[in-house]
Amino acid sequence: MLFDSLKKIRRYEVLHEALPAAFDFLEKSDLSSLKEGRYEIDGDRVFALVQEYDTLSSEQKMMESHRKYMDLQIPISGSEEMGFAYPEQVREIQAYDETVDIALFKPESYQTFRVDAGSFAIFHPGELHMPGCSVVSKGSEKVRKIVIKVKI
């Protein structure tokens, strides 16, 4: 898991050969005007999902992990907490579904960090994460976010 300022995102393009195309998309797009939905960057290899939702308390959320794709989570507006856990801190509640590349887990314990507009988080395949949690001091909040999926 990586967390940093969006201003520094280019330093991470060495992690995978497809990341420069993802970062080009971020730099060349008017992110605030993109409508919800899927945007092809490089077919199924790299694509962006524009999402809008209200955050929920962490008790209402599940951990997730992926096997095929790396997640770049980039809030455009709003703030959310994201949880992360080690495999020994969770129990699987929904077996891996290859068609949507996700397995869901119930966390026994986990850590959280706050992700605001202007920052981002990267989760590699197998890393357990829980996006979309309410910032405790703010309660539920509308978040607009881009999740870029990069096939590994």
Side-chain angles (χ1 to χ4, degrees):
M1 190 260 324
L2 297 167
F3 171 67
D4 207 341
S5 165
L6 199 52
K7 293 176 184 175
K8 299 178 190 173
I9 200 165
R10 283 288 180 177
R11 72 172 51 170
Y12 298 101
E13 63 189 14
V14 298
L15 296 175
H16 192 277
E17 73 235 7
L19 286 175
F23 300 160
D24 287 345
F25 172 82
L26 290 172
E27 290 175 353
K28 294 175 181 174
S29 300
D30 179 3
L31 302 179
S32 62
S33 69
L34 292 176
K35 300 209 181 308
E36 282 186 88
R38 180 178 166 135
Y39 293 82
E40 301 291 328
I41 298 170
D42 185 7
D44 278 342
R45 185 172 179 231
V46 183
F47 59 92
L49 302 170
V50 177
Q51 306 170 340
E52 283 189 27
Y53 54 83
D54 294 319
T55 58
L56 299 171
S57 71
S58 58
E59 292 80 25
Q60 296 174 282
K61 301 289 293 178
M62 293 291 164
M63 288 274 168
E64 61 186 59
S65 74
H66 313 289
R67 292 184 185 170
K68 298 178 187 177
Y69 287 91
M70 174 191 306
D71 269 9
L72 282 76
Q73 307 241 348
I74 306 147
I76 303 306
S77 63
S79 300
E80 65 182 67
E81 292 277 331
M82 291 188 188
F84 67 96
Y86 300 106
E88 61 273 10
Q89 295 175 297
V90 299
R91 59 183 165 79
E92 188 172 46
I93 60 163
Q94 181 181 328
Y96 176 74
D97 182 343
E98 186 173 356
T99 60
V100 288
D101 187 38
I102 195 167
L104 296 177
F105 301 84
K106 182 71 177 163
E108 306 283 328
S109 66
Y110 57 92
Q111 295 77 42
T112 63
F113 59 102
R114 182 173 166 166
V115 185
D116 300 307
S119 61
F120 71 94
I122 297 176
F123 298 97
H124 288 82
E127 292 184 328
L128 299 158
H129 55 287
M130 187 169 56
C133 299
S134 299
V135 175
V136 175
S137 63
K138 292 184 165 195
S140 183
E141 180 177 359
K142 175 79 66 194
V143 170
R144 180 173 174 74
K145 177 166 79 175
I146 295 178
V147 177
I148 297 182
K149 307 291 266 182
V150 176
K151 194 168 197 174
I152 301 293

